[in-house]
């Protein structure tokens, strides 16, 4: 094992399983105490801003083989978040399966979680946000700043208004 | 133990309140140090790194909390400007408040991670009580958010949001919070 590989494993010591040839550049911020599975050949690029893996107790986060997570990416799982193989999450994008606060009623009561699934080769643009209940099928591409909370069919490309 | 050390312990036991030695007391002491020079209410907590650039007036209401995380929260208050934060406000990590003239917020406001609020000379930002600004939203200069308003994740707000309404999208559109909480999805 290379020194980088060893260092990467040390930085991911809180994860339940870490695949082969995983690279952690910079820092990864792992909190919550949940179950995290990292596949082979995953790259965490936290050189400028750390990558955040926030997995609550009894929650499961799965990062598939060959995924790339850039700086400032935040994955928040309170029940289940699943990233398929070959996903690419650009800088400051966020995937979450819980809103943490309800829009109406008592703001400090946590609403129920809705699992999030990203299938193979999904690309999430800079500052894009994947909200609870989203299901992005294979090869979906989200442009920068897109916010999505629904099922998106395979191969679709979504951009916000004003961009092309 | 040397005489100097014994004198130091004697002085500490006389002069420093006992609560300073508890975990909560140390957290509060650290919070007051992080907000040095500001008008800080009781029981304010700063958990993570705070980038404070204070050239104007900063008021932090009682029991407000700045949460720690992978990115520091930044409070940049320019010369002659004022930032007034109400009681029991909650700031997630990475919030950026860039104040050129005046930013005021009411009690019990909540801010998600990477929220950015900025004003400009002659265009102050005013937030009412119980406002919730979700992750990654941007509040632009001159905007007023009414009591109980909610700004959804990733929104960019350029216009005023009346009390109890939801701002959503880029640029933000207004909709009723009841419509949103009844279900549905958006892109």
């Amino acid at each position: 094992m290379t020194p980088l590989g060893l260092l990467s494993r040390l930085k991911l010591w809180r994860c339940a399983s870490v695949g082969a040839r995983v690279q952690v550049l910079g820092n990864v911020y792992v909190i919550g105490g949940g179950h995290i599975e990292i596949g082979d050949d995953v790259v965490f690029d936290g050189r400028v801003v750390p990558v955040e893996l926030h997995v609550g107790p009894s929650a499961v986060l799965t990062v598939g083989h060959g995924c790339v997570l850039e700086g400032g990416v935040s994955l928040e799982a309170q029940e289940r978040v699943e990233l398929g193989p070959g996903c690419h999450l650009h800088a400051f994008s966020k995937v979450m399966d819980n809103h943490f606060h309800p829009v109406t009623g008592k703001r400090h009561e946590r609403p129920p979680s809705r699992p999030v699934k990203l299938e193979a080769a999904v690309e999430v643009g800079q500052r894009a946000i994947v909200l609870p209940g989203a299901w992005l099928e294979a090869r979906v591409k989200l442009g920068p700043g897109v916010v999505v909370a629904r099922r998106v069919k395979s191969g679709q490309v979504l951009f916000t208004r004003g961009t092309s | 133990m040397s005489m100097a050390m014994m004198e130091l312990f004697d002085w500490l036991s006389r002069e420093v309140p006992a609560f300073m030695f508890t975990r909560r007391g140390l957290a509060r002491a650290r919070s007051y140090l992080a907000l040095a020079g500001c008008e800080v209410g009781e029981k304010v907590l700063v958990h993570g790194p705070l980038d404070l650039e204070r050239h104007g007036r900063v008021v932090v209401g009682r029991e407000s909390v700045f949460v720690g995380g992978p990115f520091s929260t930044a409070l940049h208050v320019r010369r002659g400007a004022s930032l007034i934060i109400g009681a029991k406000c909650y700031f997630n990590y990475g919030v950026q408040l860039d104040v050129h003239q005046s930013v005021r917020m009411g009690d019990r406001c909540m801010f998600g991670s990477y929220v950015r609020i900025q004003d400009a000379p002659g265009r102050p930002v005013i937030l009412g009580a119980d406002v919730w600004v979700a992750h990654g939203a941007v509040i632009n200069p001159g905007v007023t958010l009414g009591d109980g308003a909610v700004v959804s994740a990733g929104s960019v707000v350029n216009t005023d949001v009346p009390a109890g309404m939801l701002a959503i999208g880029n640029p933000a559109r207004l909709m009723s919070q009841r419509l949103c909480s009844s279900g549905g999805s958006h892109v």
Side-chain angles (χ1 to χ4, degrees):
Chain A
M1 186 180 290
T2 63
L4 177 62
L6 185 63
L7 194 59
S8 301
R9 283 180 179 276
L10 283 174
K11 289 175 181 174
L12 295 168
W13 68 272
R14 285 193 178 95
C15 301
S17 69
V18 179
R21 299 174 300 279
V22 169
Q23 289 184 56
V24 177
L25 311 170
N27 290 324
V28 174
Y29 192 84
V30 183
I31 54 169
H35 186 89
I36 303 175
E37 295 175 8
I38 310 288
D40 300 337
D41 300 302
V42 174
V43 178
F44 296 90
D45 188 354
R47 284 175 292 189
V48 179
V49 184
V51 174
E52 183 190 23
L53 307 178
H54 180 188
V55 185
S58 76
V60 178
L61 169 66
T62 309
V63 181
H65 302 311
C67 287
V68 177
L69 282 71
E70 293 185 4
V73 166
S74 170
L75 306 179
E76 297 207 42
Q78 295 300 311
E79 187 180 326
R80 186 171 191 86
V81 171
E82 193 178 330
L83 271 59
C87 291
H88 189 152
L89 279 70
H90 288 266
F92 291 101
S93 57
K94 190 175 189 77
V95 180
M96 57 202 297
D97 71 348
N98 195 303
H99 285 293
F100 293 95
H101 308 281
V103 174
T104 53
K106 291 183 180 175
R107 288 271 166 81
H108 294 286
E109 282 183 358
R110 185 169 291 182
S113 297
R114 286 191 291 164
V116 173
K117 187 175 183 182
L118 279 65
E119 292 186 354
V122 169
E123 191 171 341
V124 180
Q126 284 188 20
R127 293 187 179 271
I129 302 167
V130 181
L131 290 174
W135 180 2
L136 309 183
E137 293 186 355
R139 300 181 309 285
V140 164
K141 186 175 178 183
L142 302 183
V146 167
V147 182
V148 64
R150 61 175 171 87
R151 182 174 179 178
V152 183
K153 293 286 184 185
S154 176
Q156 280 193 340
V157 181
L158 301 180
F159 283 94
T160 53
R161 285 182 300 171
T163 58
S164 56
Chain B
M1 189 181 292
S2 67
M3 286 297 292
M5 288 290 284
M6 290 179 68
E7 283 175 9
L8 178 64
F9 277 116
D10 282 349
W11 181 83
L12 280 172
S13 59
R14 275 198 319 272
E15 302 294 332
V16 182
F19 82 88
M20 286 286 289
F21 295 108
T22 66
R23 192 174 170 185
R24 186 174 292 176
L26 286 171
R28 282 196 196 139
R30 184 183 170 282
S31 304
Y32 284 100
L33 281 175
L35 291 165
C38 305
E39 298 169 40
V40 183
E42 292 178 355
K43 298 181 181 177
V44 169
L45 284 173
V46 180
H47 289 296
L50 186 71
D51 174 17
L52 175 65
E53 190 183 309
R54 187 187 59 81
H55 298 292
R57 183 177 179 228
V58 179
V59 179
V60 183
R62 63 183 172 82
E63 296 179 49
S64 290
V65 179
F66 295 84
V67 176
F71 202 71
S72 61
T73 292
L75 308 181
H76 293 171
V77 182
R78 307 303 156 102
R79 192 174 300 279
S82 71
L83 167 63
I84 298 176
I85 298 170
K88 297 184 179 181
C89 288
Y90 179 93
F91 296 83
N92 211 326
Y93 66 84
V95 172
Q96 291 181 34
L97 301 179
D98 197 0
V99 186
H100 291 80
Q101 185 190 5
S102 171
V103 171
R104 273 189 294 141
M105 52 190 76
D107 298 342
R108 299 174 301 278
C109 291
M110 295 194 302
F111 300 89
S113 45
Y114 297 120
V115 164
R116 179 173 170 79
I117 298 176
Q118 55 188 340
D119 72 340
R123 300 170 70 195
V125 172
I126 301 169
L127 282 68
D130 299 298
V131 167
W132 173 23
V133 185
H135 167 88
V138 177
I139 311 292
N140 276 325
V143 166
T144 298
L145 305 182
D147 292 347
V150 175
V151 178
S152 102
S155 300
V156 178
V157 185
N158 299 316
T159 55
D160 293 351
V161 180
M165 293 292 281
L166 173 71
I168 192 167
N170 178 11
R173 293 160 288 147
L174 301 181
M175 64 185 288
S176 163
Q177 291 180 12
R178 284 184 183 174
L179 283 175
C180 176
S181 59
S182 65
S185 58
H186 61 279
V187 173

